[in-house]
């Protein structure tokens, strides 16, 4: 493999790998809203009501399932809400009626929901809940972002046409292919799980992947750890360790990354994958 210059390689790292759906998963938003569409439309009758408490009581007595929608009106994704004031503490259940309708009327009054609905501060609850779901969906960005690098790497592994496995434990590799990985498993005491394992006719490639948009001490620890794994794997016949990483966070931890880069041939970034490195590696 051609010798690469670290400074040039680091210069090709990405600031972000956020996909278009990272910011808001509208498919999930619409799915959540449509799951309570009937109840939302029933509660819509409360908008601009002149006698909202009576109308609310009639709705809940006739359609108690409408209680399910109330937490989302407060941007709460739970069927239980705890509240307290000078009258005491109450745990409200919204998956079923408990405590009587007067208690729920008190909740609607004190939280300001009656005021919002009665004074026509919103046009309709369907649009309102859609907006709430978009806001709540932003809380899932961390989870969506955590899988983006793995998904990206998997797409390039698929392009290679190689046999591969996701999230495979070290012991599973040993049992499946009869290899001894004790030298990189702390003599059998480690329960290491690899992000990917690629099997070619001549090699087993164990792969770790990550993306760091921000710096921190974890990056230095990661670089040292993977440098050690790379060194240990050299003693295992027909098993190679591959590390695929990227992210602007490495700029602040470049010293440790460079040390690993200088001793590890199979360290790649997104640009390398775009240039076909995995196709080349797994088909040589």
């Amino acid at each position: 493999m051609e010798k690469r210059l670290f400074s040039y390689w680091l210069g090709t790292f990405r600031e972000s790998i956020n996909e278009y759906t990272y910011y808001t998963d509208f498919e999930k938003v619409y799915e959540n809203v449509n799951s309570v569409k009937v109840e939302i439309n029933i509660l819509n009758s409360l908008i601009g009501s002149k006698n909202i408490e009576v109308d609310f009581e009639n709705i809940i007595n006739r359609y108690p399932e409408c209680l399910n929608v109330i937490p989302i009106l407060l941007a709460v994704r739970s069927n239980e809400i705890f509240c307290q004031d000078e009258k005491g503490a109450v745990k409200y259940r919204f998956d079923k009626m408990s405590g009587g309708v007067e208690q729920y009327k008190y909740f609607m009054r004190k939280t300001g929901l009656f005021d919002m609905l009665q004074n026509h501060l919103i046009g309709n609850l369907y649009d309102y809940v859609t907006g709430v779901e978009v806001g709540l969906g932003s809380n899932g960005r961390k989870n969506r972002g955590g899988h983006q690098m793995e998904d990206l790497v998997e797409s390039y592994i698929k392009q290679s046409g190689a046999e591969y496995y996701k999230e495979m434990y070290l012991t599973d590799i040993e049992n499946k292919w009869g290899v001894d990985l004790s030298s990189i498993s702390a003599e059998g005491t480690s329960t290491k799980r690899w992000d990917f394992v690629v099997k070619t006719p001549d090699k087993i490639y164990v792969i770790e992947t990550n993306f760091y948009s921000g710096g921190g001490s974890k990056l230095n620890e990661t670089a040292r750890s993977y440098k050690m794994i790379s060194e240990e794997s050299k003693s295992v016949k027909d098993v190679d360790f591959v590390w695929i990483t990227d992210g602007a966070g490495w700029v602040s931890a470049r010293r440790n990354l460079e040390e690993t880069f200088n001793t590890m041939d199979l360290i790649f970034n997104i640009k390398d994958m775009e240039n076909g490195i995995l196709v080349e590696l797994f088909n040589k």
Side-chain angles (χ1 to χ4, degrees), residues 83-101:
C83 294
Q84 65 178 31
D85 61 7
E86 68 281 356
K87 290 188 177 182
V90 180
K91 180 187 283 187
Y92 291 89
R93 291 285 300 272
F94 295 94
D95 55 343
K96 63 181 180 179
M97 186 180 292
S98 62
V101 71

Side-chain angles (χ1 to χ4, degrees), residues 135-231:
L136 289 174
S138 67
N139 297 328
R141 287 176 185 167
K142 183 176 181 180
N143 290 333
R144 290 195 293 273
H147 295 290
Q148 285 188 122
M149 187 63 173
E150 287 90 341
D151 292 344
L152 186 62
V153 170
E154 184 175 12
S155 71
Y156 284 105
I157 293 176
K158 286 181 177 178
Q159 286 182 19
S160 74
E163 174 188 349
Y164 79 96
Y165 303 84
K166 293 178 65 174
E167 297 182 344
M168 194 172 192
Y169 284 95
L170 187 146
T171 51
D172 294 331
I173 299 171
E174 291 182 319
N175 294 335
K176 186 173 182 64
W177 292 295
V179 295
D180 180 7
L181 300 179
S182 58
S183 62
I184 55 175
S185 67
E187 297 302 321
T189 62
S190 171
T191 57
K192 173 68 182 169
R193 186 181 70 178
W194 306 96
D195 292 332
F196 298 96
V197 175
V198 170
K199 179 68 174 69
T200 69
D202 302 317
K203 289 272 190 181
I204 298 171
Y205 295 94
V206 293
I207 304 169
E208 285 291 281
T209 181
N210 37 53
F211 185 95
Y212 295 107
S213 56
S217 58
K218 182 180 180 181
L219 280 74
N220 292 326
E221 179 184 336
T222 299
R224 287 192 295 266
S225 173
Y226 288 175
K227 178 183 176 183
M228 183 176 68
I229 292 174
S230 177
E231 291 295 322

Side-chain angles (χ1 to χ4, degrees), residues 53-99:
E53 296 204 16
V54 173
D55 291 342
F56 175 79
E57 182 173 346
N58 290 335
I59 287 174
I60 297 306
N61 284 332
R62 188 171 180 181
Y63 307 105
E65 62 273 17
C66 287
L67 287 174
N68 294 330
V69 180
I70 292 176
I72 201 66
L73 301 183
L74 296 171
V76 175
R77 205 181 296 286
S78 172
N79 59 23
E80 293 184 351
I81 295 180
F82 181 90
C83 294
Q84 65 178 31
D85 61 7
E86 68 281 356
K87 290 188 177 182
V90 180
K91 180 187 283 187
Y92 291 89
R93 291 285 300 272
F94 295 94
D95 55 343
K96 63 181 180 179
M97 186 180 292
S98 62

Side-chain angles (χ1 to χ4, degrees), residues 107-148:
F107 177 90
M108 297 289 287
R109 191 183 313 123
K110 295 290 285 185
T111 57
L113 287 174
F114 273 158
D115 180 62
M116 179 184 73
L117 294 166
Q118 188 171 38
N119 292 312
H120 218 286
L121 299 178
I122 57 173
N124 67 80
L125 284 176
Y126 188 90
D127 291 346
Y128 172 85
V129 172
T130 299
V132 170
E133 283 288 347
V134 169
L136 289 174
S138 67
N139 297 328
R141 287 176 185 167
K142 183 176 181 180
N143 290 333
R144 290 195 293 273
H147 295 290
Q148 285 188 122

